Amino acid sequence: MSRISEGDYVFMQLPSGNHKIVRVVADSLIVLGKFGSVSANTLVNLPFYETYDIISKTEVRKIAAEPADDLETSAESGINDVLTMEGNKIQYHGNQTLSMSEIEQFKQSGLKGDALIKKIQEAHQDFDKKTEFSKAKYLKRKKAKYMHTFCPLPMTCDRLLDLYIDKDPARVLGMDPATLAHMLSLANVRPGGRYLIMDESPSVLTTAILERLGNKGCVVIAHENEHPNLDGLKYFPQWMPSDDFEGENPMVRLINLLDLFCPEETLPFVEKDADSLKGTQKTQYLRQLYRENQRLWVRKQCELGFDAVIVLSTLNLVDIVPRLLEFAAGSTPLVVYSDARENLVNLTLALKKDLRVLAPTIMETRLRKFQTLPGRMHPTMTAKGYSGVLLHGIRVLPDSAAVAVGMAAQRKKRKIEPAENTVQT
């Protein structure tokens, strides 16, 4: 079982259903809001996927995780709660005999967790009159409010995508996990592959590809700006590219679209004797040397041809995609994502005239969530937005000298003899 290490980014699942990403830095304090605080040193070497109760800032206790369910957590009044009219005001008579001030006094006295929830349950006058399902919903709401627990999970691309979907879906162009998984399958992403991509999300697509590569292969990110958007890669330090990279084979390479499409316009690199330089001049020269070597490496890969071209961009796809096709090897996939179907329709029309993409197809992935309860099942009443549209095709190498000869010309028309009983006029 994997465990938490110092320096890791950890995805904290909280009782309320929300989550928080924290970094385990030695001697620091991890604050989880109303659910408490815990020292980062306490988390080191704890197994992932377990549920822990916060006893103090330096002590946690492993507790049994409750089975996952789909109980609705919307607030509702208890059974037999009464609304009455007194004068001109509506009065609410609840069944909970404990006031908020009394609950706060219990918390200040050290009562918390299961003990506090049991106290609140006992103070509910009609708890025993509730149905079993209603009891479970009531206890789940109270645990989400008063339990000081957390469940640490390792950072993955799907959790990174969930983070941006919850905060700002526009940053990932409305893409959902099902669509992202479909993109990887259509692109045949596998260990050892070499992929040319454009990723205008906060590195969600890049992270998903790197997870599938399994430390074998590489990703070349083509970007329009001076620097690409690598915000999401900060949670995965092992993949973050750097100008000071000292390794021999980084998995992530970067190249500007100008250097990719117009290498002749790139400023020439002037070689110097690094040993004769000192201080800042030497550091700057080594960085320039690394960038030049990276650019030359990418150009060599472009000549060999990539195993797939994957595009997630807001640029004009009709202009960008045909130029990226030049660097794809024969019989390799092309996958393009857009949040608007019209963009892909225009691209499809252009690719059909181009003849370098076989059977460009537009498809859409919709995954609806269902609420499953004992003896019943129905779709959730609300869903988040729109999952976008995909275009998929196969890169081919047209041969202008090839002549297509159909079989129809080689066949002789079969002579149909008139039937004997046919009356001829």
Side-chain angles (χ1 to χ4, degrees), residues 252-284:
V252 179
R253 306 275 187 162
L254 311 175
I255 189 167
N256 188 276
L257 287 178
L258 181 62
D259 293 336
L260 183 64
F261 295 151
C262 305
E264 67 281 357
E265 297 186 13
T266 303
L267 294 177
F269 175 74
V270 180
E271 294 187 6
K272 300 178 181 179
D273 183 9
D275 295 334
S276 63
L277 302 176
K278 296 181 180 180
T280 305
Q281 292 183 347
K282 183 176 182 178
T283 302
Q284 291 178 351

Side-chain angles (χ1 to χ4, degrees), residues 51 63-69 71 114 117 136 139-140 143-144 147:
T51 303
I63 62 175
E66 297 183 358
D69 55 46
L71 298 176
D114 291 329
I117 293 174
L139 291 177
K140 182 174 182 179
K143 288 180 179 181
M147 288 293 287

Side-chain angles (χ1 to χ4, degrees), residues 148-208:
H148 288 189
T149 62
F150 64 91
C151 178
L153 303 173
M155 281 299 301
T156 58
C157 70
D158 55 339
R159 296 188 179 106
L160 179 65
L161 180 56
D162 289 338
L163 173 69
Y164 288 111
I165 289 176
D166 290 342
K167 288 187 175 182
D168 188 3
R171 294 194 66 185
V172 292
L173 305 183
M175 181 172 56
D176 64 8
T179 303
L180 177 59
H182 201 180
M183 291 180 66
L184 301 182
S185 297
L186 292 174
N188 193 25
V189 177
R190 65 195 185 282
R194 297 174 296 110
Y195 302 96
L196 175 63
I197 73 171
M198 286 193 67
D199 184 6
E200 290 191 14
S201 71
S203 304
V204 173
L205 174 60
T206 304
T207 304

